[in-house]
Amino acid sequence: MPSSPQMRGLTHSYPPFRSQRILQIAMPNYYGNEKYEGPERIVVAMDIGTTHSGVAFTHFYPGYHPQAQVVVDWPGQARRNDGSKTPSIVLYQNGKFKACGWLAMEDFEETPENVAYWFKLHLHPKKMLKTPESKAFEVPPLPKGVTIERVYTDIMRYLMENTQIFFETTTPNGPEIWKRLRDTIVIILATPNEWDINQQDILRRAAIRASLVTNENADLCLEFVTEAEASVHYALANPYEEWLKQKTVFAVIDCGGSTVDTTVYRCVSTAPLTLKEACPSECVQAGGIFVDRGMELMLNERFKETSFGNSHIIRDMVKAFEDDVKPQFDGTKDEYSLKFGTVREHEPKIGINNGKITVSGKKLTDIFDSIINQIIKSCFKSLVDQKTEHVILVGGFAESPYVRRALWKALKGHGIKIVRVSDHFEGAIIGHIKHFVVARAVKETYGGCVRQNYDKKLHRDRKHAAKLYADGKKRVDDAFHPWVTKGTVLQGTARYKLPYHIAWDAASTSKNDLLNGLTTVRIEVFAWDGEDVPVWCKDEDGNVLKGMRLICTLNADLSALEGGLQMMNGPRGTKFYRVDYNVCVYFGGTQIRAKLQWKEKGVIRESQVAVIPYVY
C-alpha cells in the first residue's frame, strides 16, 4: 500500500509506549468481602479451542457476590468427564449449517469432508508456522464453500443458544432476566497470545453475524482476553499464599490443543494482588493435536501396504489413542496396547491381535518429544532470563503425565517449581471482575509509516529522495515512526499522542484547495519483531521491507479540522497554512483503538479513527 501524501509525521523523541449440575467457583479470594454494587448484567466468556469449546457466565446482581458458572449440558452429550466442554466441530451439508459439537460427531466419522474441525488453525498468523515441524503440518481444509468467518459465526451462535437455555433453566426467573439483559450482555473471547487485530476482526464480524453483539454495541459489549491471562486469573482465584509473594516471578504455560502460550509475570503486590508481565509473551504452534497427527503419520507408515491402511481405520486407531493411551502415557513402558476395533480384527503378522495393536514406547516417546522440544525452545530462555521461580501449568495437553514430567526435567536444574492447575476457562470472567494484570509487555515494536523530518545521519542513504516543503523543512517518505518498542511494559491501557500536521504554500493554495486537502488520511501501522528499531518501512519503490508486518491502517477523517487552520510565516518571507492534530493510539489492552484530536479556538476536539485490519 503506498504511503499517503498527507501523512506528515514530525517524529523526534516521544515516550515509548510501550440434571443439570452447575460447576461453580466462588470468588472471595480476589473480590474480597465486598458485594457487587454495579448495574445488573450478564457476562459470557467463550473459549473456542482447537478440539473442544466451553462457556462460562456470571450474572452480576447488586448486593450479591458474583459467581462463575460453567455450561455443562450440551446437545447429544453422553456425560463425559464433567460435561463442561463440547467438541469444536461444525457440520455442513451442501454448504448449509447442520449441527455442532456432539451432534456432529457421527457424521465426522463417516464424512469428515463435511465437517470443519481444527478450524482454529486457519486463523493462526504465518509467523506461528515458522518451525520446520509446523510448516509440514497440514491444516484440515474447511468444507467446500465455507469460510472461516462462517464457521466461527455458526459455532458462536450454537454456544450462545445453549448458554441461554442453560441460564434460563438453572437461574430463578432465568427467562425473564435473560430477556431483560440480553442487549447488554458482555461477550469475552479467549484467544492465543500471538493473535492480534487481524484475528480479532474476523471474530468480531463473526460475533455480529451470530447476533452475539451488534455493530453498534460491539465496542462496548465484545472483549478479548489472551488464554494465558485468563488462565492466570483462574489459577490465582484459588489459594496461592504459600508460594506467591511480592516480587515473586512466575509463569503460566497454557498447553492447549494447537498452541502453547507462555507468559511470565512479576508480583507487584499481594494486597491487593497486582501483577505485571515481566517480558513479551511467547506462543508456539505445538499443542496436543500435533501428537495426534504424529501418531497418525506413524500408523499410516506402518499399515500403508495392508488392508488396515484405510483412512477410516487409521482414524479409528488415532481416536482410540486420543481417548485411552495419550492421557495415560508416561514413557515408562516398552509397549502400549491400543484397542481400536472388535476381536474379529486379527492379523498377527502385522501386529493386530483381537482388535488391538501394540505401539512401541520408544516411538511414542519420539512423537511426544518432537512437540515438547518445541515448547521448551519457545519458553526456556524467557523463564531462565527472568529468574522464574514457579510455573503454573494449565490446558488439556498439560494433563499428560509425560508432558509434565518432561517440562519438570527441563526446568528443575534452574530451581523452577511446577504448579499444576486444572483446566478451566472461568478465568476470563474473573479477569473481567478484577484485573490482576495491570501491565503487559509489548511483543513487537509498533509504529507508523510516515513522512519524517530529514535527518542526515539516519536518512543519508535516501538524501536524493528528500523534498523541501512549504514550512521550509526537508522530509523523506516511508520512514518508520516507532510508537511502542518491543519489551516495553505498558501500565494498563496507555494512550499516546502522536503529533502530525499538514502544510500548504499560501501563495499557491486557494480556500477550496485547503478544504479539499482535509480529507481522509491513512496511517499504516506496522509491527517489527526484531530487537532493533528500523529506519524505514518500505523501499524506494514503495514495497514493504522484509521483516515488516502491516497489521492495520488508521483512517482519520480530517474534514472537521477546518477550524484549526492557521496562517504561519515560512522561510524568506513566505507564508503557509498549517493544521496540527494528534492521533491518539491506545495500547496496553488486547485491542488497538485510536482517536483524532485537535485544537479549535483553544478548545480540544476529538473524533473517532477507524482501525482497518490488514487482510493477508
Side-chain angles (χ1 to χ4, degrees):
M1 294 183 179
S3 174
S4 167
Q6 295 165 317
M7 289 160 34
R8 312 288 203 262
L10 302 184
T11 67
H12 294 293
S13 58
Y14 300 105
F17 51 107
R18 274 259 182 217
S19 83
Q20 299 190 347
R21 179 171 57 88
I22 304 175
L23 296 183
Q24 293 185 332
I25 171 171
M27 307 186 197
N29 287 329
Y30 58 85
Y31 204 68
N33 295 319
E34 298 178 10
K35 296 179 180 179
Y36 178 71
E37 297 300 342
E40 184 185 9
R41 60 198 175 109
I42 297 171
V43 177
V44 174
M46 292 184 178
D47 180 12
I48 303 175
T50 305
T51 57
H52 289 85
S53 297
V55 178
F57 65 87
T58 296
H59 176 208
F60 292 87
Y61 191 80
Y64 288 83
H65 291 288
Q67 288 184 324
Q69 294 184 193
V70 178
V71 178
V72 295
D73 281 296
W74 299 100
Q77 166 183 289
R79 182 70 65 185
R80 306 185 185 205
N81 299 319
D82 60 11
S84 64
K85 292 187 177 182
T86 184
S88 297
I89 61 175
V90 187
L91 174 65
Y92 295 89
Q93 190 172 50
N94 299 322
K96 294 184 178 181
F97 171 77
K98 184 178 179 182
C100 263
W102 299 112
L103 295 178
M105 286 299 293
E106 183 176 345
D107 292 79
F108 180 38
E109 299 297 328
E110 297 176 359
T111 57
E113 67 275 7
N114 292 333
V115 175
Y117 68 102
W118 293 2
F119 54 82
K120 191 172 182 177
L121 275 64
H122 286 268
L123 279 189
H124 284 350
K126 291 181 180 179
K127 63 179 181 177
M128 289 176 63
L129 307 173
K130 57 188 177 184
T131 65
E133 294 85 352
S134 295
K135 285 182 179 178
F137 187 82
E138 180 183 351
V139 179
L142 298 176
K144 187 176 180 180
V146 176
T147 66
I148 186 61
E149 183 180 324
R150 168 77 183 283
V151 176
Y152 270 98
T153 297
D154 291 330
I155 196 168
M156 284 181 184
R157 184 182 294 114
Y158 166 80
L159 294 174
M160 194 64 169
E161 287 175 352
N162 285 282
T163 298
Q164 177 179 349
I165 293 171
F166 188 81
F167 181 93
E168 292 180 345
T169 54
T170 59
T171 304
N173 300 320
E176 187 274 329
I177 294 172
W178 187 274
K179 182 179 180 179
R180 185 174 71 247
L181 301 178
R182 176 63 186 88
D183 292 341
T184 60
I185 290 178
V186 174
I187 306 295
I188 305 175
L189 299 177
T191 62
N193 283 355
E194 208 66 36
W195 285 18
D196 57 25
I197 188 173
N198 299 284
Q199 290 74 37
Q200 291 173 3
D201 185 59
I202 292 174
L203 296 183
R204 183 183 186 276
R205 295 200 304 265
I208 292 171
R209 289 181 62 182
S211 298
L212 271 62
V213 296
T214 65
N215 192 50
E216 291 71 28
N217 71 11
D219 289 341
L220 294 175
C221 295
L222 183 63
E223 298 181 6
F224 296 96
V225 62
T226 64
E227 291 165 353
E229 193 164 310
S231 297
V232 74
H233 278 98
Y234 176 79
L236 298 183
N238 295 279
Y240 51 79
E241 291 83 356
E242 292 184 3
W243 62 271
L244 186 58
K245 312 292 182 184
Q246 187 176 12
K247 297 184 180 180
T248 297
V249 178
F250 70 97
V252 175
I253 301 182
D254 186 352
C255 303
S258 61
T259 61
V260 175
D261 296 331
T262 303
T263 310
V264 183
Y265 297 96
R266 180 173 284 103
C267 181
V268 178
S269 69
T270 56
L273 180 58
T274 305
L275 311 175
K276 75 173 184 177
E277 289 186 11
C279 61
S281 57
E282 300 287 346
C283 182
V284 62
Q285 187 166 272
I289 62 170
F290 296 95
V291 170
D292 304 338
R293 180 54 62 89
M295 183 67 177
E296 181 181 354
L297 294 174
M298 187 267 285
L299 292 172
N300 275 323
E301 180 64 25
R302 178 172 172 177
F303 296 112
K304 65 180 179 180
E305 302 296 336
T306 74
S307 60
F308 290 89
N310 179 282
S311 61
H312 290 281
I313 297 177
I314 295 295
R315 193 178 300 115
D316 288 342
M317 292 179 179
V318 173
K319 184 69 167 58
F321 166 74
E322 292 178 48
D323 293 341
D324 300 326
V325 176
K326 181 182 174 183
Q328 304 173 45
F329 177 73
D330 59 7
T332 60
K333 299 179 182 179
D334 293 333
E335 290 184 338
Y336 290 81
S337 180
L338 179 64
K339 183 178 180 180
F340 72 94
T342 68
V343 294
R344 289 176 293 179
E345 310 288 351
H346 192 68
E347 290 285 345
K349 291 182 180 179
I350 56 175
I352 296 178
N353 296 282
N354 302 321
K356 294 181 180 180
I357 61 173
T358 55
V359 182
S360 161
K362 174 64 168 58
K363 288 188 176 181
L364 287 181
T365 298
D366 289 343
I367 292 172
F368 272 85
D369 284 347
S370 67
I371 307 305
I372 292 170
N373 289 340
Q374 293 183 58
I375 299 173
I376 294 172
K377 183 179 178 181
S378 167
C379 70
F380 192 78
K381 188 176 187 302
S382 295
L383 298 179
V384 174
D385 288 353
Q386 298 299 326
K387 297 181 173 55
T388 305
E389 301 167 54
H390 296 86
V391 165
I392 300 175
L393 282 184
V394 298
F397 195 33
E399 294 176 1
S400 162
Y402 189 80
V403 171
R404 295 200 301 270
R405 179 178 298 178
L407 292 176
W408 174 76
K409 286 181 179 179
L411 300 176
K412 68 173 183 177
H414 295 272
I416 301 175
K417 300 180 179 64
I418 289 181
V419 180
R420 175 77 180 106
V421 176
S422 57
D423 182 26
H424 284 280
F425 38 83
E426 298 97 316
I429 297 279
I430 298 170
H432 183 82
I433 300 172
K434 185 72 173 179
H435 292 283
F436 295 153
V437 183
V438 298
R440 297 174 178 86
V442 179
K443 296 178 291 185
E444 300 171 291
T445 293
Y446 294 95
C449 191
V450 304
R451 178 172 293 163
Q452 192 171 39
N453 285 343
Y454 177 74
D455 184 317
K456 61 182 180 181
K457 292 182 179 180
L458 285 176
H459 309 134
R460 63 166 58 95
D461 57 325
R462 297 195 189 180
K463 179 180 179 180
H464 58 280
K467 296 179 181 179
L468 186 66
Y469 287 85
D471 58 359
K473 302 285 187 179
K474 274 189 176 182
R475 296 189 179 89
V476 287
D477 287 335
D478 299 331
F480 181 64
H481 174 190
W483 297 346
V484 52
T485 54
K486 183 178 181 179
T488 300
V489 177
L490 302 180
Q491 301 294 325
T493 301
R495 183 189 75 166
Y496 292 88
K497 291 184 180 180
L498 310 170
Y500 292 88
H501 79 262
I502 303 176
W504 297 266
D505 184 345
S508 59
T509 307
S510 67
K511 185 69 173 179
N512 284 336
D513 290 336
L514 289 178
L515 298 180
N516 291 336
L518 292 173
T519 57
T520 298
V521 295
R522 298 166 58 251
I523 302 175
E524 295 172 328
V525 181
F526 284 89
W528 174 258
D529 191 41
E531 302 301 324
D532 59 338
V533 177
V535 175
W536 307 105
C537 294
K538 303 176 182 179
D539 62 24
E540 294 189 56
D541 295 323
N543 301 310
V544 177
L545 295 177
K546 184 178 181 181
M548 277 287 175
R549 185 167 61 89
L550 179 60
I551 59 172
C552 66
T553 301
L554 305 181
N555 284 4
D557 182 1
L558 302 184
S559 59
L561 271 61
E562 178 184 354
L565 280 169
Q566 304 175 65
M567 175 78 78
M568 304 186 72
N569 295 321
R572 294 182 295 279
T574 61
K575 293 184 179 295
F576 65 94
Y577 292 103
R578 171 170 169 153
V579 61
D580 293 270
Y581 61 95
N582 296 313
V583 176
C584 301
V585 182
Y586 296 78
F587 283 89
T590 57
Q591 305 173 64
I592 294 177
R593 296 182 294 113
K595 286 185 178 181
L596 193 69
Q597 188 181 86
W598 72 97
K599 273 190 177 183
E600 187 175 329
K601 296 180 181 179
V603 178
I604 295 178
R605 302 191 181 279
E606 287 187 342
S607 66
Q608 292 296 323
V609 172
V611 180
I612 311 299
Y614 177 68
V615 180
Y616 288 88

